[in-house]
Amino acid sequence: MAARILEGREFAARFRADAKERAAALREKTGVTPGLAVIIVGADPASKVYVRNKNKACAELGIYSEVIEMPGNTTKEALLAQIDALNASKKIHGILVQLPLPAAIAKDGHEIVNRISPAKDVDGFHPVNVGRLVTGEEALVPCTPHGCLRMLELAGIEMDGKRAVIIGRSNIVGKPMLHLLLARHATVTICHSHTKDLAAVTREADILVAAIGRPHFVTADMVKKGATVIDVGINRIAPKKLVGDVDFAHVKEVAGAITPVPGGVGLLTVAMLMENVVQAAERQLIK
Ligand code: GUN
């Protein structure tokens, strides 16, 4: 039997409606509108599209937003000064520095991210938020893995006691996903480029998360019958053709549930960012 298709659109609509309601409630209670600042350095075309989508979502949900466009030759010092100004701004409750940074300052990525006040770090990349996630304290959680987790919950996919396997060990997806699933009592394994006999590991998974950035990497023979397959990959294989890390056409015949690309997890990321902005604002204003 073909898998249940987990449509990102449906879940994102729920998360956005919740964020909109919370933003309105906060405005009612405090008179303050939650605010997001996105800093984009340089002119990476994909980043420009992402930033436009974030800005549009803010407008739709009643969240104030500023986009700060800085030239590609911006120095680390200038960027840090901009972050300092936003850390001090009363109108801004969330700050996001769009990645990737231009090559000349990419090596300073940690120092730049670490300059964002942890309370305003709506990407959840600051070591304070990473530490809170690991230890189970309230944290701002990276948007993509957070969206995956919330989708699993809302879809009624059992995690407690299940085997979860994540392919990919990035700070943005793989590692936070590990902690989110662990906190839901799954038994979690992370695989990566040095893993031996990867398919034998992935075939054990009740929940398989693919976040490697290689088109159609996960094939049907790597998936247990009835497993839930979450595809975090977005790979452009032709000017107008995006595919995931999962061979969707064949894997959907084996899986119990699966997310498509496009139309899957990608739509959840912006929705979760909106939730993080509202959460950050709530904590700064009323907690
Ligand atoms: N570029 C691609 N994904 C992301 C993300 O989640 N956050 C930031 N800041 N930049 C990105």
Side-chain angles (χ1 to χ4, degrees):
M1 202 176 77
R4 169 182 176 193
I5 310 297
L6 301 170
E7 300 282 357
R9 187 171 13 95
E10 291 167 22
F11 295 96
R14 277 284 293 275
F15 303 150
R16 289 165 74 114
D18 287 351
K20 186 174 181 176
E21 206 169 290
R22 280 168 66 185
L26 190 66
R27 198 164 15 309
E28 180 90 355
K29 190 164 180 174
T30 65
V32 180
T33 297
L36 169 69
V38 177
I39 304 176
I40 176 167
V41 186
D44 178 58
S47 289
K48 287 199 149 193
V49 174
Y50 293 139
V51 170
R52 204 172 324 128
N53 288 341
K54 289 167 185 171
N55 211 19
K56 190 161 156 253
C58 284
E60 285 168 9
L61 270 53
I63 293 173
Y64 170 75
S65 71
E66 283 179 21
V67 177
I68 294 143
E69 297 191 36
M70 302 183 79
N73 62 358
T74 296
T75 61
K76 178 183 83 175
E77 289 70 25
L79 182 50
L80 293 176
Q82 179 59 254
I83 292 170
D84 288 344
L86 294 168
N87 280 340
S89 167
K90 289 258 181 294
K91 281 190 347 199
I92 296 300
H93 308 93
I95 303 168
L96 180 150
V97 177
Q98 185 66 31
L99 302 176
L101 289 165
I105 52 171
K107 64 179 185 319
D108 303 314
H110 286 300
E111 187 180 347
I112 290 163
V113 166
N114 294 2
R115 189 71 157 241
I116 299 171
S117 159
K120 296 190 177 185
D121 165 40
V122 285
D123 259 328
F125 294 166
H126 191 288
V128 166
N129 281 312
V130 176
R132 286 187 183 144
L133 173 63
V134 173
T135 55
E137 291 172 68
E138 186 178 328
L140 288 163
V141 177
C143 301
T144 300
H146 198 193
C148 293
L149 183 92
R150 295 282 298 279
M151 181 186 64
L152 288 169
E153 282 177 343
L154 201 55
I157 308 277
E158 182 74 43
M159 289 176 263
D160 194 329
K162 299 295 179 183
R163 284 293 306 268
V165 174
I166 301 160
I167 318 176
R169 54 179 156 174
S170 71
N171 290 331
I172 299 186
V173 181
K175 288 181 204 163
M177 197 73 223
L178 161 75
H179 294 290
L180 290 166
L181 288 163
L182 199 54
R184 295 303 186 284
H185 313 295
T187 301
V188 193
T189 303
I190 291 202
C191 300
H192 47 77
S193 54
H194 293 222
T195 299
K196 303 270 188 288
D197 200 0
L198 179 77
V201 184
T202 61
R203 273 195 294 270
E204 301 240 308
D206 301 303
I207 299 166
L208 180 60
V209 180
I212 15 173
R214 288 175 58 180
H216 295 166
F217 180 85
V218 175
T219 48
D221 59 307
M222 296 168 70
V223 177
K224 176 158 103 177
K225 194 166 168 41
T228 298
V229 180
I230 310 286
D231 190 350
V232 184
I234 301 179
N235 309 289
R236 191 172 293 279
I237 57 166
K240 293 210 159 149
K241 177 107 177 117
L242 291 179
V243 299
D245 290 349
V246 175
D247 176 8
F248 181 83
H250 296 103
V251 172
K252 79 174 175 8
E253 301 303 322
V254 182
I258 185 168
T259 63
V261 177
V265 164
L267 298 175
L268 305 176
T269 300
V270 174
M272 295 317 294
L273 174 65
M274 299 299 109
E275 184 176 301
N276 278 358
V277 175
V278 176
Q279 184 190 332
E282 285 171 347
R283 279 196 73 86
Q284 286 162 58
L285 294 166
I286 57 178
K287 285 184 187 161

